[in-house]
């Protein structure tokens, strides 16, 4: 009888020790560096990209504008202004993709949208909305760089 109790006690002690080791601790310096509020959240601007009104651009012109679009995405990501970007899969709406801007308000996001050649040429249209999300979202670009074998 003593042996099973000892084993159960050992297992409980190990489980308690393991849970204490894996417990996540609040990192004040990281929270401050990410400008997180007390909940670990912050303001962003969500951008829904839709098909624009320009339907007359040639394939060559569109290709060049979308190359500029990708260059701009990479530039904004490196500057920390863009934390998420990506296209939608084929859908029955005119949704093309999203941006999540690391800015406090719509005006700042409008200035960033204005740097996108595909939006300037009306191949894409941007719809901007204030958004509240985890401040950790800003770390996505750093993590992505570690997992992307081929760079865009």
């Amino acid at each position: 009888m003593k042996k099973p109790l000892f084993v159960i006690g050992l297992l409980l002690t190990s489980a308690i020790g393991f849970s204490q080791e894996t417990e996540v601790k609040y990192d004040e310096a990281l929270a401050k560096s990410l400008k997180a509020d007390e909940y670990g959240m912050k303001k962003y601007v969500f951008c829904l990209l839709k098909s624009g009104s320009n339907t007359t651009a040639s394939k060559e012109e569109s290709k060049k504008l979308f190359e500029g679009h990708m260059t701009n995405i990479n530039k904004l990501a490196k500057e920390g202004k863009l934390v998420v970007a990506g296209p939608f899969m084929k859908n029955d709406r005119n949704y093309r993709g999203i941006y999540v801007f690391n800015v406090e308000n719509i005006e700042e996001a409008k200035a960033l949208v204005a740097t996108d050649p595909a939006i300037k040429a009306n191949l894409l249209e941007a719809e901007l909305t204030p958004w509240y999300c985890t401040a950790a979202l800003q770390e996505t670009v750093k993590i992505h760089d570690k997992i992307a074998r081929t760079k865009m």
Side-chain angles (χ1 to χ4, degrees):
M1 183 72 170
K2 288 183 180 182
K3 199 171 194 176
L5 287 176
F6 174 75
V7 172
I8 291 171
L10 183 61
L11 289 173
L12 285 172
T13 304
S14 297
I16 291 168
F18 178 75
S19 70
Q20 288 174 345
E21 288 176 26
T22 59
E23 185 179 316
V24 178
K25 303 273 190 237
Y26 173 69
D27 185 334
E28 185 175 359
L30 179 59
K32 282 183 179 179
S33 74
L34 297 175
K35 298 181 180 159
D37 64 15
E38 66 183 292
Y39 302 106
M41 308 281 278
K42 73 177 291 303
K43 292 178 188 176
Y44 297 94
V45 174
F46 181 89
C47 176
L48 178 61
L49 295 171
K50 300 177 181 181
S51 296
S53 60
N54 183 348
T55 58
T56 60
S58 69
K59 283 190 178 192
E60 187 176 293
E61 183 183 7
S62 291
K63 182 181 178 204
K64 187 174 180 165
L65 288 166
F66 277 104
E67 285 171 358
H69 170 75
M70 292 305 300
T71 298
N72 193 57
I73 286 172
N74 289 319
K75 176 184 162 289
L76 293 175
K78 284 178 185 166
E79 292 172 355
K81 296 293 185 184
L82 184 64
V83 294
V84 173
F88 284 115
M89 302 309 201
K90 189 173 181 150
N91 61 79
D92 60 354
R93 300 176 181 163
N94 64 350
Y95 294 166
R96 299 291 296 276
I98 66 164
Y99 288 154
V100 175
F101 290 113
N102 189 14
V103 297
E104 292 271 325
N105 57 58
I106 298 290
E107 290 71 32
E108 290 177 88
K110 282 181 181 177
L112 297 175
V113 164
T115 66
D116 188 311
I119 294 172
K120 281 197 256 186
N122 292 319
L123 291 178
L124 296 173
E125 174 187 315
E127 185 177 292
L128 302 168
T129 305
W131 194 45
Y132 185 63
C133 183
T134 176
L137 188 63
Q138 299 167 79
E139 299 295 288
T140 302
V141 173
K142 293 176 193 170
I143 295 167
H144 180 78
D145 286 343
K146 293 177 183 178
I147 63 170
R149 184 175 293 149
T150 303
K151 306 299 181 203
M152 296 176 113

